[in-house]
Amino acid sequence: CTTIQAEESICCPQSQDVACAFCEGGISNPDLVSDAAGQTCAQIGALAAGDTEGSATCTTIQAEESTCCPQSENCVPLDPNPYTFEPPTNVFPEAPWTTGGDGVWTIDDTNAQEGTYSIKSPNLEGEGIEGKKLVSNATLAVCDDFAGGSLTFNALAPGIPPYDNFVWFLDGVESGLINGQSEWRELAIPLAPGAHRIDFQYQYNPFSLPVLANDPPPGREGVVWIDAVTLVSFGA
């Protein structure tokens, strides 16, 4: 009987394992490269199709859904709005925020545009190998019921190329860049209706130079701060 039952995988394939579910609602940007996986969302989707639901590999793959299809998650609205990282929201990350890359963003009380707290990028100096660009993202998910409008945020970005940059991306596409700012600056990102992913990215050695001088210009601090994030809806 045991020998006969071994043939079930051939004679009744419906008993086979289910393929790893990934972005069942569709991949937002197939060409977007995941910082954690180092592969495009399309490539990650192909890996999922060849894996089994419930496996350790599948669980790792599914962790990339927040990158490749943020609208497929149980989206949490930005609350409070404006979001100032003051108590009780002075914990980071909490939905709808995530953070990742070569380091993580954290709550900070040394600089704030409003109140006492903001979020700060990691200092990535000395964290990688020479000649390699390092990045860290603070990511905000906007729910698919958003009526359209804009996202405003305040940034303190004293980075100085070629040491570092502060860049933000909308749905995987670069939307803006600043550096050399010694004062807080308010910035805005226009948003069409629907779900969106906004990545606030600190970049160290953005041009992947083999060697960076050990005497950076005065004023460079090697980190970026964000505060007072507001989602403005046309339907408000």
Side-chain angles (χ1 to χ4, degrees):
C1 178
T2 301
T3 301
I4 293 170
Q5 288 172 332
E7 300 304 314
E8 285 187 320
S9 61
I10 296 174
C11 299
C12 45
Q14 67 272 19
S15 66
Q16 291 180 326
D17 293 326
V18 177
C20 179
F22 181 76
C23 289
E24 293 181 310
I27 295 175
S28 302
N29 184 351
D31 297 325
L32 179 64
V33 177
S34 163
D35 291 328
Q39 295 176 300
T40 68
C41 289
Q43 290 172 325
I44 295 170
L47 290 174
D51 210 283
T52 304
E53 185 70 25
S55 71
T57 302
C58 180
T59 300
T60 301
I61 290 170
Q62 289 172 335
E64 298 303 316
E65 287 189 313
S66 62
T67 297
C68 298
C69 48
Q71 71 273 20
S72 70
E73 300 178 313
N74 294 323
C75 192
V76 175
L78 187 67
D79 184 23
N81 185 19
Y83 202 101
T84 60
F85 305 101
E86 297 301 305
T89 54
N90 63 328
V91 177
F92 190 84
E94 285 190 335
W97 292 92
T98 55
T99 182
D102 294 303
V104 296
W105 291 59
T106 56
I107 287 287
D108 182 68
D109 62 0
T110 61
N111 272 304
Q113 198 276 333
E114 290 188 19
T116 303
Y117 298 95
S118 63
I119 55 171
K120 182 179 75 171
S121 71
N123 187 327
L124 298 177
E125 196 160 358
E127 293 297 320
I129 60 175
E130 289 185 350
K132 181 183 177 182
K133 171 184 174 181
L134 300 177
V135 302
S136 176
N137 292 337
T139 300
L140 175 65
V142 177
C143 298
D144 56 10
D145 61 355
F146 180 62
S150 64
L151 182 83
T152 64
F153 63 98
N154 289 265
L156 178 59
I160 299 175
Y163 297 92
D164 40 18
N165 269 333
F166 174 53
V167 187
W168 54 97
F169 297 81
L170 174 60
D171 300 325
V173 179
E174 184 175 327
S175 180
L177 176 153
I178 61 170
N179 50 57
Q181 303 291 313
S182 59
E183 301 290 338
W184 285 93
R185 180 177 172 184
E186 185 176 72
L187 300 148
I189 305 171
L191 298 177
H196 295 287
R197 170 191 170 99
I198 298 97
D199 291 297
F200 300 102
Q201 186 174 96
Y202 171 71
Q203 301 178 344
Y204 175 72
N205 193 10
F207 309 114
S208 299
L209 298 179
V211 177
L212 289 172
N214 290 325
D215 56 345
R220 177 184 173 266
E221 297 194 44
V223 292
V224 172
W225 290 266
I226 294 174
D227 198 5
V229 180
T230 306
L231 192 60
V232 181
S233 173
F234 292 145

